[in-house]
Amino acid sequence: VSALSGGKADLDVKLVQLVRLLRAGEPVKMSKRAGDYVTLREVVAEVGRSAVRFDMLYRKNDAVLDFDLAKVIEQSRENPVFYVQYGHARGHSIFRTAKAEIPEFPDDRKRLLAALVAAPLNRLSDPGELSIMRKLALYPRLIEAAAVAHEPHRIAFYLYELASEFHSQWSRGGKESPHLRFIILDDPEITVARLALVQGIVTVLASGLALLGVDAPEEMR
């Protein structure tokens, strides 16, 4: 490498553990000697590119990965890629709801962002809201640390934690504490502040998923 680059490049060897392919918890039998194996192309064709990318990056490269073909397409919290993508889609659904329920809701993206930039964030005082804001503030440093350490799994972990906090806050407002809902029709100030928080979540989730090469759907059924 030194000879080819004139001493300008370094060789950095990453040791990666094996991936064990499972189907519904049972190992998929493969044999190199018998020529019986499953290719990565076949896995992508079965479960999708996003599921493969996120699940592969959701582990440290020095840890053995059990890749279960059934679990990576499961729609539950136990499936990290679904949980993160659902967080992104949920954020967009909140904006669709706001547009349907608030007559004066900005009808174009430019006006909406201008309103969110001027949002009174000091109205966000709930511990869950403050925790999410602190988590969002960590994003730039997290990306830098992941790049320096060559550890992309840090980004996947972070996105899952952010999505988890978002889902928890949404559930609290929907069941336990109605005053914590993201849209409060008789309090425009708190609504704008919470929509600004949602926009921050959506932006960071979309950015992180893009870095991992994973789709960020705006709607999931």
Side-chain angles (χ1 to χ4, degrees), residues 20 36 84 132 197 210 213:
R20 294 187 298 209
D36 184 13
V84 173
I132 291 175
L197 181 63

Side-chain angles (χ1 to χ4, degrees), residues 9-20:
D10 296 320
L11 176 63
D12 186 9
V13 179
K14 299 297 182 186
L15 299 181
V16 181
Q17 286 289 346
L18 293 174
V19 176
R20 294 187 298 209

Side-chain angles (χ1 to χ4, degrees), residues 138-209:
L138 291 174
Y139 183 61
R141 187 174 297 177
L142 179 281
I143 295 299
E144 181 181 9
V148 170
H150 296 180
E151 294 183 341
H153 68 271
R154 295 190 189 191
I155 302 173
F157 288 174
Y158 169 88
L159 294 177
Y160 182 82
E161 291 169 1
L162 176 60
S164 182
E165 288 198 31
F166 179 35
H167 289 309
S168 295
Q169 189 68 12
W170 186 90
S171 296
R172 289 179 63 211
K175 299 177 182 178
E176 303 168 17
S177 309
H179 69 280
L180 292 177
R181 289 175 181 170
F182 291 99
I183 300 172
I184 306 293
L185 295 178
D186 59 358
D187 191 340
E189 270 199 353
I190 193 67
T191 296
V192 172
R194 286 175 178 165
L195 289 179
L197 181 63
V198 173
Q199 181 60 58
I201 295 168
V202 166
T203 299
V204 169
L205 289 179
S207 173
L209 288 172

